[in-house]
Amino acid sequence: MQPSPKSAIEDAPPPTGAANVAPQARELTRSLKPRHLSMIAIAGVIGAGLFVGSGAAIQQAGPGILVAYAAAGLVVILVMRMLGEMAAASPETGSFSAYADRALGRWAGFSIGWLYAWFWIIVLGIEATAGAAIVHRWVPEVDQWVWALLLMVLLTLTNVASVKSFGEFEFWFASIKVAAIVVFLVLGIVAILGFMPGVAAPGLDNLTGRGGFFPNGAGAVLGGVLVVVFSFFGAEIATIAAGESQNPVAAVRQAVRSTVWRILIFYIGSIAIVVTLLPWDSASVAKSPYVAAIELYGIPGAGTIMDVIVLTSVLSCLNSGLYTASRMLFSLSTRGDAPRSWAQISARGVPRSAVLASTIVGFVTVGLNYVAPDTVFLFLVNTSGAIALFVWLVIAASQLILRRRMGPDAAKALSLKMWLFPYLTWFAILSILALLVGMLIIPETRESLGLSLLLAGLLVGVGLWRYRSGRGASGAADTQPSVSEAHSESHQSRE
């Protein structure tokens, strides 16, 4: 009999000394439905950065920004495929942090888990402020900080209530974003073909007639990769949420396999329409490329329409960011790398302590954004600048190691495999390292890289110190089942 791929990964040496609690005490409710997971997977790569931040990238590289989006998208697709291979074999709430535990050592899972949670906690402060700014424009009588507070409270209550309420909110947020992009794409194709009244077919004028496809040279395109690569971060959320779905393995496979068309259609497709319809160097494109395109279509209230869409994206990011940070803190807690109280589960299957811990720090970051936006808050934001690349690098290294530990029969039985292993895995690793070197070379990103490395180095140092003798800090008995085993047994008992 061939060993299952799940057992092949789970049979790796268990985390030594992890603070395990009884399986029933840490069982999360599997109440996320397939439609929830589908939209969470889609929403993970559609953020406010696409609707607003893409303007700066277009100004930097011109139409050649399409190459930058394609290159960054390729790296993300490869990383998601590697993560999907591990997650389909062993779905876990801790996702890549739990896999790093097995592949690289307890220090690695500790470090990358805390870095990832920190990233999303910082995002809470950024997105709450961005959303509050939009609502404040609509209702200026109420101070902006009040709106930021209300948005944070609303999404906190959603996440504390139940995982199903999180899934429902994310489903509708994502549905609005997807519908908006689909309508944008359809109208864009109609306009490009010359079928839209009052809009002349642009042909190739905007793509090649204003300095060529690479008006600022190939170097600008390479710089553009660094600008756009971070807008793809979040695709991995679906593998974390899969642990609370009714069919984790199927959910992971679907999310990973859909990554390719999501990036091709939502990012590359919509940006292609923008640079085809509009001059890349126009001020309106720099300010908001999607508003400029909507105005070209002759649709009234383009600015308000985009405000609604961006606010939806902000709320989606707040919702998923709080969920993701709390689940990573929960996973760290079950492994003895965070306060044990954060592993406590409410009667509705929600790690409320972990949610509230994420929220408290999130509220602090929101406050700092108003009290000291150009000093303390900016410093905190810069510490998270390169975390996406660190996470992707750890995912690639973990997949490389865990696959090589497998026997040939177990590897053959994997339900989802990395393409052309190990060649594309190494290609992804080298590409991520090249992006890190690029951050070091480009002056605008050098400080952010330095602060991110400082934070990562601090956490790695703590992790190495904690596990320097091969024992967990807690000294808990190793005879209790690991998190992955408990989830596996629970899932099998349901089946």
Side-chain angles (χ1 to χ4, degrees), residues 172-458:
W172 291 109
F173 288 151
S175 297
I176 293 173
K177 291 191 291 185
V178 170
I181 292 188
V182 169
V183 171
F184 180 85
L185 290 170
V186 171
L187 292 177
I189 293 172
V190 171
I192 289 172
L193 295 176
F195 297 146
M196 182 171 289
V199 180
L204 299 177
D205 290 346
N206 292 322
L207 289 174
T208 60
R210 307 178 71 86
F213 193 74
F214 301 105
N216 297 324
V221 175
L222 294 176
V225 174
L226 282 174
V227 175
V228 305
V229 70
F230 299 103
S231 62
F232 290 118
F233 200 46
E236 72 291 335
I237 293 176
T239 66
I240 295 175
E244 295 178 77
S245 68
Q246 297 169 346
N247 191 339
V249 175
V252 166
R253 286 201 300 262
Q254 181 181 357
V256 171
R257 287 170 176 167
S258 64
T259 300
V260 177
W261 65 260
R262 282 183 280 140
I263 290 176
L264 286 175
I265 295 176
F266 294 131
Y267 270 90
I268 299 177
S270 60
I271 295 297
I273 284 176
V274 170
V275 296
T276 302
L277 284 177
L278 301 166
W280 65 268
D281 54 354
S282 67
S284 60
V285 169
K287 183 179 180 180
S288 180
Y290 290 83
V291 170
I294 293 173
E295 289 176 341
L296 179 68
Y297 299 156
I299 299 175
T304 302
I305 293 172
M306 189 51 57
D307 272 350
V308 172
I309 295 172
V310 171
L311 179 61
T312 301
S313 295
V314 165
L315 292 175
S316 173
C317 193
L318 269 175
N319 193 41
S320 59
L322 184 52
Y323 170 84
T324 307
S326 66
R327 288 334 187 254
M328 187 57 73
L329 292 181
F330 165 79
S331 176
L332 288 167
S333 178
T334 62
R335 289 177 276 146
D337 290 335
R340 293 190 62 163
S341 61
W342 294 357
Q344 294 176 357
I345 300 296
S346 71
R348 306 192 70 176
V350 176
R352 287 183 179 174
S353 296
V355 172
L356 293 176
S358 305
T359 302
I360 290 171
V361 181
F363 278 121
V364 171
T365 59
V366 171
L368 289 173
N369 200 2
Y370 289 101
V371 175
D374 298 324
T375 52
V376 180
F377 185 74
L378 183 61
F379 172 82
L380 295 178
V381 170
N382 282 335
T383 62
S384 65
I387 288 179
L389 296 179
F390 297 161
V391 168
W392 293 344
L393 190 60
V394 166
I395 290 172
S398 298
Q399 188 268 338
L400 181 68
I401 293 171
L402 290 177
R403 171 71 86 86
R404 284 183 167 171
R405 284 181 186 169
M406 286 184 179
D409 291 339
K412 185 178 180 180
L414 284 168
S415 62
L416 188 71
K417 296 181 182 179
M418 178 59 182
W419 303 298
L420 296 177
F421 178 83
Y423 306 108
L424 285 183
T425 297
W426 277 112
F427 173 79
I429 291 173
L430 294 175
S431 298
I432 296 166
L433 291 174
L435 289 171
L436 288 169
V437 172
M439 288 190 71
L440 179 63
I441 295 174
I442 297 177
E444 291 80 8
T445 57
R446 192 176 298 150
E447 179 183 2
S448 182
L449 174 63
L451 290 174
S452 296
L453 285 172
L454 180 64
L455 177 61
L458 177 63

